């Protein structure tokens, strides 16, 4: 049965066998870079959205259950906007769903921090806080993109992320200064997440080219601000970090943690089992 | 003296209920009225919360991004309804943690339908269309309930539920008109959720334990069987549009009654599930308890943090 499904899939989606390095001969270099950028942005957002949605009916308060899924919904919306633009750029049969549902681990190019499991509430919130600080700055910068559509998506995103940050930041302080246990959990989360933060500020060559072209925003420009803001919050609770230099990377080249494959097999299950149907 | 007062209060309460005036939280009300409302409203709130589980079961597996967004938003709405209803119930002098404890110790019930599993994607359509559809029939009647906060909650909740029902039906339509496999999933979902949806209206009028008092107090406005018939009448033509087979071979238009006739519900199954032996009763409560226990350290941390902040404030003041 499984074999049949796999065969069906291969027959219906020949592209699925190709490791996607993003190079499409039918597109110019510039639009190829743009396409990669849009898909990568969409990947970051959809993968984080998936993780956050795992909190549904599992949060410590009903209010937090609603908040976490609300943030998940914002990131899902963000992913759709980037994917839809990418699909239009590529043309043909490509849709937001074919991008999300028919690519494998090696073709997904999200930065690794987004795919890490939710672990516990401290871990989820610390990751969210790190990303909220990052996205407020990054999306603010991206609003200046010469590509009007990207600028518009960034404009919507920055409003959402500001709101997310308002919620995640006080949580970090409360957990860091709450009980011994909550502090230990924050410190444990920090030990792990610290290794994945650096990748947020890295850019492959094609993204640097987009920066030069005025389309993408230079991630390096916000590193210092990010360091300063995060360190200020944590040191107020007597916690020392943080080194945001690159430690673990590879997401943009499709080199992931083992967690992503399981996430995708769950997310893509119906599209893979019954290829080509409308739902 | 007290007796005289109580009689006067009771008479005033009866007069207001009869005159269709709303009873508000600060008004005098008979103890049994309060208890009855707490039972019904908390049960309603718990249903919204437990209902997040079978629907949440498919969020990470939704087959398109559009469907995923709709489902995520819908489940959030249900959680919001739960929150709203817990708050409305708290106006009767019970706390949310007391209500949650009653749920977890199985003293309080929730809608039995959520003890059935969502096995395929079509079940998400069936839940939206049939379960929310049945809930709306019930809740429209409850918009006229005598307790003000409950009636107002129902008005707001009904608006969102009717959107949920439409998205569920649209999902079913897509599948019923889709591939043979999708159509089969849709038929199977309809067959499995039809009877539990009819059971949502409760026992026949003659067998309903809480009905007569509730009707007298105008907490409940229409009988179980009347509401169930209304649901059947509105749903049968929708099944025809889907082009699916009737889940009950006895469904037939009755010209004389002006309603659809239908087969008898399996009441043994109804009582079995209500009494804790549905396919998912244990799973639902265990899940709720686990999430609650897993979150205890967070709530503890919040309490500790607040206490520390309060101490600091006192020290500064001193």
């Amino acid at each position: 049965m499984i074999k049949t499904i796999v065969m069906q899939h291969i027959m219906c989606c020949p592209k699925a066998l190709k490791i996607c390095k993003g190079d499409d001969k039918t597109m110019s270099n510039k639009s190829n870079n743009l396409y990669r950028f849009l898909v990568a942005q969409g990947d970051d957002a959809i993968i984080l959205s998936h993780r956050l949605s795992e909190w549904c009916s599992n949060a410590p308060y009903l209010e937090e259950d609603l908040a976490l899924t609300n943030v998940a919904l914002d990131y899902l919306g963000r992913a759709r906007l980037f994917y839809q633009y990418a699909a239009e750029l590529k043309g043909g049969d490509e849709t937001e769903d074919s991008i999300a549902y028919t690519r494998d681990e090696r073709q997904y190019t999200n930065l690794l921090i987004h795919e890490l499991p939710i672990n516990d509430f401290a871990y989820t919130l610390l990751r969210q806080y790190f990303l909220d600080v990052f996205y407020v700055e990054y999306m603010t910068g991206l609003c200046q993109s010469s590509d009007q559509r990207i600028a518009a998506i960034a404009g919507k995103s920055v409003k959402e992320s500001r709101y997310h940050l308002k919620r995640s930041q006080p949580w970090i302080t409360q957990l860091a200064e709450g009980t011994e246990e909550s502090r230990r959990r924050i410190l444990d989360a920090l030990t792990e997440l610290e290794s994945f933060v650096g990748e947020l500020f890295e850019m492959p060559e094609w993204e640097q080219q987009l920066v030069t072209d005025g389309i993408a925003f230079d991630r390096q420009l916000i590193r210092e601000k990010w360091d300063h803001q995060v360190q200020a919050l944590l040191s107020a609770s007597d916690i020392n970090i943080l080194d945001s230099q690159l430690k673990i990377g590879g997401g943009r080249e499709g080199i992931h943690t083992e967690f992503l494959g399981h996430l995708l097999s769950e997310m893509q299950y119906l599209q893979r089992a019954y290829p080509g149907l409308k739902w | 003296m007290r007796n005289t007062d109580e009689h006067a209060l009771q008479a005033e309460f009866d007069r207001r209920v009869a005159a269709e005036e709303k009873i508000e939280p600060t008004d005098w009300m008979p103890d049994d009225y309060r208890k009855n409302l707490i039972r019904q409203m908390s049960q309603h709130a718990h249903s919204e919360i437990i209902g997040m589980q079978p629907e949440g079961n498919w969020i990470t597996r939704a087959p398109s991004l559009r469907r995923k967004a709709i489902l995520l938003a819908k489940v959030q709405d249900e959680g919001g309804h739960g929150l709203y209803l817990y708050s409305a119930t708290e106006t009767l002098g019970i706390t949310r943690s007391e209500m949650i404890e009653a749920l977890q110790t199985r003293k309080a019930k929730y809608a039995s339908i959520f003890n059935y599993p969502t096995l395929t994607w079509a079940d998400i359509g069936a839940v939206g269309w049939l379960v929310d559809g049945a809930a709306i029939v019930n809740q429209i009647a409850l918009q006229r309930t005598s307790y003000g906060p409950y009636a107002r909650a129902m008005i707001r909740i009904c608006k969102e539920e009717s959107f949920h029902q439409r998205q569920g039906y649209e999902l079913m339509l897509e599948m019923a008109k889709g591939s043979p496999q999708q159509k089969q999933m849709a038929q199977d979902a309809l067959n499995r959720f039809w009877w539990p949806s009819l059971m949502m209206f409760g026992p026949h009028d003659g067998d309903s334990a809480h009905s007569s008092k509730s009707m007298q107090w105008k907490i409940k406005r229409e009988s179980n069987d009347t509401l169930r018939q209304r649901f059947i009448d509105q749903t049968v033509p929708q099944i025809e549009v889907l082009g699916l087979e009737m889940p009950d071979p006895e469904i037939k238009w009755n010209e004389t009654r002006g309603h659809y006739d239908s087969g008898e519900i399996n009441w043994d199954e109804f009582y079995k599930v209500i009494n804790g032996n549905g396919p998912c009763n244990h799973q639902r409560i265990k899940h709720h308890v686990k999430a609650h226990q897993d979150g205890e350290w967070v709530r503890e941390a919040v309490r500790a943090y607040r206490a520390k902040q309060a101490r600091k404030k006192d020290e500064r003041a001193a």
Side-chain angles (χ1 to χ4, degrees):
Chain A
M1 179 62 187
I2 289 171
K3 202 173 163 191
T4 321
I5 292 169
V6 171
M7 282 314 291
Q8 272 177 353
H9 169 60
I10 290 170
M11 285 184 293
C12 295
C13 315
K15 275 186 202 159
L17 287 179
K18 196 177 75 180
I19 302 295
C20 180
K21 288 291 187 187
D23 288 336
D24 186 327
K25 299 283 181 271
T26 60
M27 292 165 94
S28 71
N29 241 357
K30 196 170 172 183
S31 54
N32 226 329
N33 288 345
L34 176 58
Y35 177 80
R36 281 180 131 180
F37 177 75
L38 296 170
V39 170
Q41 292 288 328
D43 288 351
D44 288 342
I46 193 72
I47 296 298
L48 183 68
S49 170
H50 183 105
R51 286 302 185 211
L52 289 167
S53 74
E54 291 175 14
W55 275 103
C56 181
S57 81
N58 290 303
Y61 296 91
L62 181 50
E63 286 83 348
E64 283 307 310
D65 214 296
L66 299 178
L68 287 162
T69 46
N70 207 357
V71 178
L73 201 52
D74 284 344
Y75 275 94
L76 176 55
R78 206 177 285 189
R80 294 185 69 193
L81 292 171
F82 282 117
Y83 283 160
Q84 284 162 5
Y85 186 12
E88 284 169 38
L89 205 62
K90 185 78 146 256
D93 296 339
E94 186 137 303
T95 63
E96 56 171 1
D97 288 334
S98 68
I99 298 176
Y101 287 97
T102 62
R103 288 176 307 136
D104 297 326
E105 293 94 311
R106 294 282 285 109
Q107 298 165 300
Y108 258 80
T109 56
N110 60 283
L111 302 173
L112 304 181
I113 192 168
H114 302 91
E115 75 196 40
L116 300 170
I118 56 176
N119 291 305
D120 62 11
F121 191 72
Y123 189 99
T124 295
L125 264 292
L126 189 63
R127 167 185 30 207
Q128 198 57 45
Y129 168 66
F130 285 171
L131 290 174
D132 291 342
V133 173
F134 175 81
Y135 280 120
V136 167
E137 295 305 323
Y138 182 72
M139 290 297 172
T140 302
L142 201 58
C143 286
Q144 303 305 316
S145 173
S146 60
D147 184 307
Q148 290 308 302
R149 192 149 164 191
I150 291 176
I153 300 171
K156 179 176 181 289
S157 303
V158 75
K159 280 187 214 150
E160 292 166 352
S161 285
R162 270 192 211 125
Y163 189 65
H164 300 165
L165 178 61
K166 249 187 182 171
R167 181 184 146 268
S168 63
Q169 182 169 311
W171 265 118
I172 303 309
T173 307
Q174 286 189 82
L175 295 178
E177 299 180 26
T179 59
E180 251 175 61
E181 181 179 3
S182 67
R183 186 175 179 84
R184 176 184 58 73
R185 286 177 187 260
I186 281 285
L187 292 173
D188 286 351
L190 184 63
T191 307
E192 186 172 331
L193 288 166
E194 197 175 2
S195 305
F196 291 93
V197 163
E199 201 187 13
L200 289 170
F201 305 100
E202 296 295 314
M203 288 183 293
E205 221 172 283
W206 54 262
E207 193 173 349
Q208 280 171 13
Q209 186 57 50
L210 286 173
V211 171
T212 312
D213 296 341
I215 291 171
F217 176 67
D218 189 346
R219 291 167 176 266
Q220 291 284 347
L221 294 180
I222 51 176
R223 183 198 291 272
E224 211 173 297
K225 196 160 183 195
W226 189 92
D227 281 351
H228 180 76
Q229 198 174 332
V230 169
Q231 274 167 357
L233 183 85
L234 292 179
S235 64
S237 300
D238 289 326
I239 297 178
N240 288 323
I241 71 146
L242 184 79
D243 175 358
S244 67
Q245 294 307 307
L246 179 67
K247 293 187 183 64
I248 305 175
R252 287 285 189 254
E253 281 75 50
I255 305 294
H256 293 277
T257 64
E258 289 178 351
F259 301 116
L260 183 69
H262 295 277
L263 183 157
L264 292 181
S265 58
E266 184 173 347
M267 180 173 110
Q268 299 177 338
Y269 141 70
L270 272 170
Q271 289 270 2
R272 299 293 204 179
Y274 304 95
L277 299 185
K278 269 187 73 189
W279 299 90
Chain B
M1 183 65 189
R2 200 158 98 208
N3 268 349
T4 326
D5 279 356
E6 199 135 302
H7 276 127
L9 289 165
Q10 177 77 49
E12 173 62 6
F13 173 85
D14 291 343
R15 183 199 66 74
R16 292 183 60 191
V17 170
E20 298 284 334
E21 286 174 29
K22 297 288 177 232
I23 306 300
E24 296 298 335
T26 49
D27 295 340
W28 183 90
M29 61 187 86
D31 278 350
D32 283 351
Y33 176 85
R34 187 184 298 274
K35 278 187 201 143
N36 204 316
L37 268 175
I38 288 176
R39 180 190 59 77
Q40 181 170 334
M41 289 171 69
S42 67
Q43 181 172 325
H44 195 157
H46 297 325
S47 303
E48 303 279 3
I49 299 307
I50 295 295
M52 293 168 75
Q53 290 182 39
E55 294 194 276
N57 184 34
W58 279 90
I59 289 175
T60 55
R61 292 181 292 169
S64 76
L65 298 182
R66 174 174 168 265
R67 293 283 177 206
K68 191 192 282 284
I70 293 170
L71 183 59
L72 244 178
K74 176 188 191 297
V75 176
Q76 262 198 303
D77 281 352
E78 309 295 5
H81 296 170
L83 197 54
Y84 202 74
L85 283 164
Y86 280 134
S87 304
T89 314
E90 283 185 317
T91 64
L92 291 158
I94 184 169
T95 64
R96 202 204 300 184
S97 43
E98 285 169 329
M99 287 185 262
I100 287 173
E101 200 197 326
L103 170 71
Q104 294 186 343
T105 53
R106 295 171 165 81
K107 283 184 199 120
K109 291 198 168 18
Y110 54 87
S112 219
I113 188 96
F114 298 124
N115 291 316
Y116 291 86
T118 50
L119 300 176
T120 75
W121 174 247
D123 290 9
I124 294 304
V127 169
W129 168 39
L130 298 174
V131 177
D132 289 13
I136 293 167
V137 169
N138 232 330
Q139 289 167 7
I140 283 177
L142 284 172
Q143 291 177 354
R144 293 183 294 122
T145 194
S146 56
Y147 189 55
Y150 195 25
R152 290 189 287 274
M154 285 302 109
I155 291 169
R156 184 190 163 123
I157 287 171
C158 272
K159 283 183 191 155
E160 290 183 350
E161 294 291 3
S162 64
F163 171 74
H164 298 167
Q165 194 201 12
R166 283 200 294 273
Q167 68 78 31
Y169 190 68
E170 193 236 346
L171 193 164
M172 287 298 273
L173 199 58
E174 185 86 48
M175 292 193 70
K177 306 288 179 195
S179 78
Q181 290 149 319
Q182 286 174 310
K183 186 170 182 179
Q184 198 268 328
M185 279 186 218
Q187 182 70 59
D188 174 55
L190 168 60
N191 294 349
R192 280 184 290 111
F193 276 92
W194 174 254
W195 294 105
S197 301
L198 297 188
M199 292 175 197
M200 283 175 71
F201 296 96
H204 282 313
D205 296 346
D207 305 325
S208 178
H210 304 288
S211 276
S212 84
K213 265 289 191 215
S214 288
M215 293 283 267
Q216 185 194 324
W217 281 325
K218 295 189 180 176
I219 293 175
K220 193 164 170 169
R221 301 309 305 253
E222 290 184 89
S223 83
N224 293 353
D225 287 327
T226 308
L227 294 168
R228 183 166 22 238
Q229 183 69 58
R230 187 171 301 152
F231 174 71
I232 294 171
D233 289 347
Q234 79 177 34
T235 309
V236 169
Q238 295 170 352
I239 298 174
E240 286 166 354
V241 171
L242 291 175
L244 297 177
E245 282 172 31
M246 290 298 154
D248 168 7
E250 291 181 49
I251 287 177
K252 209 175 126 200
W253 179 251
N254 182 325
E255 198 63 55
T256 326
R257 290 202 309 126
H259 293 290
Y260 284 97
D261 290 338
S262 56
E264 188 56 38
I265 288 167
N266 180 346
W267 293 109
D268 287 343
E269 179 181 322
F270 173 80
Y271 287 109
K272 196 178 87 171
V273 180
I274 277 199
N275 291 323
N277 294 309
C280 301
N281 296 58
H282 294 288
Q283 180 189 343
R284 298 292 182 239
I285 295 296
K286 265 166 94 172
H287 181 110
H288 196 276
V289 170
K290 182 177 185 303
H292 195 69
Q293 285 173 350
D294 286 352
E296 182 51 34
W297 70 267
V298 179
R299 295 188 295 274
E300 180 66 40
V302 170
R303 287 191 291 269
Y305 178 77
R306 284 182 188 159
K308 280 179 199 170
Q309 293 305 104
R311 268 201 305 277
K312 274 187 201 163
K313 200 175 160 192
D314 287 349
E315 281 164 18
R316 276 196 301 270

